[in-house]
């Protein structure tokens, strides 16, 4: 970990010869794995006709989350909350998804969103849980340290179910 950024590598060996076969960038594996887990969970727990995505964080993980979700859901709207969101990427996401994509405020993004994804390293909650629509699916994927917290107490109190990838870390 350097300045709060995690990096790792995965070395694959041939099990018969013990010869290294490949060195994989762990960040790339995580990018795809995490987005795939969100997609799987959303497919099983979000409303099938979900039409609005609120995306907090437009970095590598946030972009991966959006690209995975548009493969399954036909959003009409995607609101992106990130002060450094790239207009070029938002235009690309709009072209790929067919949805109206805009940079938004936290409240405007969350209100009426069917799916909310947080992919930030925020030390404090990124939205007020009272803004969530009943039945909204929330995937909080961005923080993995005990000091950071993307969701507030109200979001957790309103949840009908909390599913975690790894209980000791969560």
């Amino acid at each position: 970990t350097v300045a709060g950024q995690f990096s790792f590598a995965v070395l694959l060996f041939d099990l018969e010869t013990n010869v290294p076969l490949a060195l994989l960038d762990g960040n790339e594996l995580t990018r795809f794995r995490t987005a795939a887990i969100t997609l799987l969970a959303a497919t099983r727990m979000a409303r099938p006709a979900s039409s609005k995505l609120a995306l907090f964080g437009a970095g590598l993980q946030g972009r991966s989350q959006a690209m995975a979700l548009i493969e399954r859901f036909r959003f009409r709207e995607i609101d992106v909350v990130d002060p450094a969101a790239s207009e070029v990427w938002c235009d690309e996401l709009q072209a790929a998804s067919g949805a109206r994509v805009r940079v938004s405020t936290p409240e405007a993004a969350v209100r009426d969103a069917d799916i909310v994804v947080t992919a930030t390293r925020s030390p404090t909650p990124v939205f007020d849980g009272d803004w969530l629509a009943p039945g909204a699916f929330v995937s909080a994927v961005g923080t993995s340290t005990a000091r950071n917290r993307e969701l507030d107490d109200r979001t957790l109190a309103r949840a009908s179910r909390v599913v975690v990838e790894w209980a000791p870390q969560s």
Side-chain angles (χ1 to χ4, degrees):
T1 304
V2 176
Q5 300 285 329
F6 296 92
S7 287
F8 59 99
V10 177
L11 184 57
L12 299 180
F13 289 89
D14 182 296
L15 292 177
E16 292 179 14
T17 65
N18 204 29
V19 173
L21 297 175
L23 178 63
L24 306 172
D25 179 349
N27 291 327
E28 284 299 299
L29 292 174
T30 296
R31 178 170 68 99
F32 289 111
R33 178 190 59 81
T34 304
I37 290 170
T38 295
L39 178 59
L40 176 64
T43 298
R44 296 186 182 245
M45 292 184 267
R47 291 184 283 264
S50 293
S51 64
K52 182 179 178 186
L53 169 64
L55 177 67
F56 286 78
L60 181 69
Q61 190 55 241
R63 291 189 308 267
S64 297
Q65 295 284 317
M67 296 309 289
L69 288 166
I70 66 171
E71 291 299 317
R72 165 62 180 83
F73 296 94
R74 299 295 165 236
F75 297 112
R76 286 194 313 261
E77 299 176 64
I78 300 174
D79 282 10
V80 178
V81 182
D82 187 324
S86 161
E87 287 185 36
V88 171
W89 178 74
C90 287
D91 290 344
E92 290 170 357
L93 180 59
Q94 184 164 301
S97 67
R100 178 186 56 85
V101 177
R102 68 178 179 164
V103 176
S104 186
T105 65
E107 184 173 3
V110 171
R111 292 229 185 250
D112 300 320
D114 299 293
I115 297 177
V116 178
V117 174
T118 60
T120 75
R121 285 189 161 79
S122 180
T124 59
V126 296
F127 65 86
D128 184 324
D130 283 323
W131 300 337
L132 286 167
F137 171 82
V138 178
S139 180
V141 302
T143 187
S144 58
T145 66
R147 290 176 303 225
N148 293 356
R149 183 172 180 201
E150 292 178 309
L151 304 181
D152 66 357
D153 289 340
R154 184 69 178 132
T155 298
L156 295 171
R158 292 185 63 197
S160 62
R161 178 175 14 180
V162 176
V163 179
V164 299
E165 182 180 16
W166 188 36
Q169 182 179 19
S170 300

